[in-house]
Amino acid sequence: MAVTLHDVQQARQRIKDHIYLSPAPHSDELSRMTGQEIFLKLDNLQRTGAFKERGALNKILTLSPEEKKRGVIAASAGNHAQAVAFHATERRIRSRIVMPLMTPLVKVSSTANFGAEVVLHGANYDEACTEAMRLSAAEGLTFLHPFDDDAVIAGQGTIGLELLEQVPNLEAVVVPIGGGGLIGGVACAIKESNPKVRVIGVQTERLPSMLRATQSGSPVTIPAEATIADGIAVRRAGDRTLPLVQRYVDEIVTVDEEEIAKAILVLLEREKTLAEGAGAVALASLLQRKTSLNGQRTAVLVCGGNIDVSLLAKIIERGLVKDGRRTRLRIHLTDRPGALHQLTKIIADARANIVQTSHDRAHYGVNLGDTVIDVTLETRGFDHIAEIAQQLTSGGYRHERID
């Protein structure tokens, strides 16, 4: 194996004074929703907003004086970038980070603010990584791989040691998978300490690189896909992480984009916890009953919280629509004084709140003398929407829902 329990234990001693011991509280609400006994490991509360600090710092602390003097370089979609930038700058080590062109602005800005020189290059992580390795060779910088490195894997595995202490009688751990550094380290630490604990990995359905690797017996490169779980958008599993997954991980499942978005909303609304897409996939798998778990005491890793605000706004709005808490109706009415007033009275009597309106007299097949109004409403659920529709019909208004 690339990494042993001893390596993880050494990593913990090396980084413990510099890494936040993230809490793992029990959640009554999520336990009820999933059918498990849920404990959330909140590594989104780390200084840079993700678990990546553990592996990056452990790697940096193992560099030779000469390597530190020359500086380091990394490729990342965001979280590894910020971790390397922060901990390198803290130790006065020059850092350069190559990030894909479409990396969320919040991650690019944060990486630069932590002291790194940011280079935007490539359409995805793989292209950014190729450029970083080229610059590493050209400028003599030490390349810090985000997952396929023994010191990085061991650093991420410290989460497993913490969970064994924080969650009494732990029976299962659900871990997001990108390239496999996190689950490789965590699974090694847990299984070598207590083989009875089940370790389950979760990938985005659009990029199941580790699942494909386990099925084929070796890493395979899969086509690039866009996903809101950009932190685990890895096209090829690691050569050093795959053997760890093959040996220690009991099950790998996938979740789709809508399921990830729902989990982000559940964490935000029910737990007051902000997670990015990659940080929410573990919970998504349990909310959708994708795993074989059945009532176990389960630690769920919320491994990152660096989500772009504009994306979060879209997720919230779509989530409200899917829950029936926001709807849009297209209503036909006579274009005369008082018509709009009568319509809004019906809506007010139904106790719905108007968010936005839009009149149109020229499109949608409107007759001369008539108008159409699109009304966006805040509602209390699908029963409430049906009640509003019934009252509009009773009032003689032709209408349709256009969500």
Side-chain angles (χ1 to χ4, degrees):
M1 292 292 100
V3 172
T4 66
L5 176 60
H6 180 64
D7 294 327
V8 180
Q9 291 169 333
Q10 284 191 316
R12 189 180 189 188
Q13 289 300 313
R14 197 176 287 123
I15 71 175
K16 66 178 183 179
D17 294 332
H18 310 284
I19 296 293
Y20 175 56
L21 177 58
S22 57
H26 180 264
S27 171
D28 291 331
E29 181 70 4
L30 296 183
S31 297
R32 180 190 63 79
M33 294 175 69
T34 62
Q36 317 299 328
E37 281 298 315
I38 298 296
F39 295 80
L40 295 177
K41 180 60 169 168
L42 301 175
D43 240 44
N44 58 330
L45 300 179
Q46 293 294 341
R47 175 65 180 82
T48 61
F51 76 97
K52 289 285 191 177
E53 286 189 37
R54 299 170 182 268
L57 177 58
N58 190 48
K59 178 65 176 181
I60 287 170
L61 293 178
T62 61
L63 296 177
S64 69
E66 179 60 28
E67 288 173 323
K68 293 177 182 177
K69 183 178 180 180
R70 290 199 305 265
V72 298
I73 189 167
S76 171
N79 291 334
H80 180 63
Q82 294 175 77
V84 170
F86 176 71
H87 287 288
T89 300
E90 284 283 291
R91 288 150 188 84
R92 299 184 179 180
I93 299 171
R94 173 196 173 199
S95 63
R96 178 179 286 186
I97 311 295
V98 184
M99 309 180 80
L101 290 167
M102 296 306 293
T103 301
L105 179 60
V106 63
K107 294 184 178 182
V108 175
S109 300
S110 294
T111 302
N113 290 338
F114 284 134
E117 176 190 346
V118 176
V119 177
L120 296 177
H121 180 90
N124 50 51
Y125 164 77
D126 299 271
E127 293 181 8
C129 184
T130 299
E131 176 66 8
M133 295 181 73
R134 186 190 70 79
L135 291 172
S136 172
E139 301 182 20
L141 303 172
T142 299
F143 180 68
L144 305 188
H145 200 283
F147 56 84
D148 213 24
D149 179 281
D150 293 355
V152 171
I153 296 167
Q156 320 302 27
T158 59
I159 291 177
L161 298 180
E162 291 175 10
L163 284 173
L164 290 168
E165 297 172 357
Q166 291 175 308
V167 183
N169 303 313
L170 179 65
E171 295 178 294
V173 179
V174 186
V175 186
I177 305 179
L182 175 60
I183 197 168
V186 169
C188 174
I190 287 178
K191 286 289 192 178
E192 290 294 334
S193 301
N194 183 356
K196 294 182 179 180
V197 178
R198 288 179 56 76
V199 178
I200 296 175
V202 187
Q203 291 200 285
T204 167
E205 193 175 274
R206 292 189 174 181
L207 283 163
S209 54
M210 184 62 74
L211 180 59
R212 296 289 178 267
T214 58
Q215 291 169 341
S216 65
S218 62
V220 293
T221 302
I222 61 178
E225 288 278 358
T227 171
I228 61 173
D230 59 286
I232 55 172
V234 177
R235 296 176 58 200
R236 182 183 176 88
D239 294 308
R240 305 191 69 74
T241 60
L242 177 58
L244 291 164
V245 171
Q246 290 173 317
R247 178 168 181 174
Y248 295 121
V249 175
D250 297 291
E251 182 180 7
I252 297 177
V253 300
T254 62
V255 289
D256 65 29
E257 300 296 290
E258 294 296 334
E259 291 165 347
I260 298 169
K262 179 177 176 62
I264 292 172
L265 275 181
V266 168
L267 284 166
L268 186 62
E269 191 167 33
R270 306 295 178 89
E271 295 296 321
K272 310 302 181 281
T273 295
L274 181 62
E276 60 186 282
V281 296
L283 178 62
S285 71
L286 296 177
L287 289 171
Q288 302 301 323
R289 311 295 174 110
K290 294 290 186 75
T291 75
S292 60
L293 297 178
N294 184 23
Q296 280 90 346
R297 292 172 66 82
T298 303
V300 178
L301 269 62
V302 182
C303 59
N306 294 315
I307 189 169
D308 184 73
V309 176
S310 60
L311 174 60
L312 180 61
K314 293 175 184 176
I315 290 172
I316 291 173
E317 187 168 3
R318 286 189 60 167
L320 292 174
V321 172
K322 285 183 172 295
D323 287 346
R325 291 186 287 170
R326 179 168 294 193
T327 191
R328 184 180 300 165
L329 301 176
R330 179 162 293 159
I331 305 168
H332 298 251
L333 65 160
T334 304
D335 190 12
R336 58 178 175 77
L340 182 58
H341 173 72
Q342 292 177 12
L343 173 63
T344 57
K345 184 177 186 308
I346 291 175
I347 294 172
D349 290 343
R351 311 304 296 172
N353 184 46
I354 297 176
V355 177
Q356 186 177 17
T357 62
S358 175
H359 272 88
D360 197 301
R361 293 179 174 85
H363 300 89
Y364 312 125
V366 178
N367 296 323
L368 292 174
D370 290 346
T371 188
V372 163
I373 182 169
D374 289 349
V375 185
T376 303
L377 302 173
E378 288 181 344
T379 50
R380 298 190 300 274
F382 292 109
D383 289 343
H384 190 203
I385 294 172
E387 176 189 333
I388 296 168
Q390 178 58 46
Q391 293 191 28
L392 289 171
T393 299
S394 298
Y397 292 97
R398 184 162 60 92
H399 59 86
E400 61 266 6
R401 190 175 174 196
I402 57 171
D403 291 334

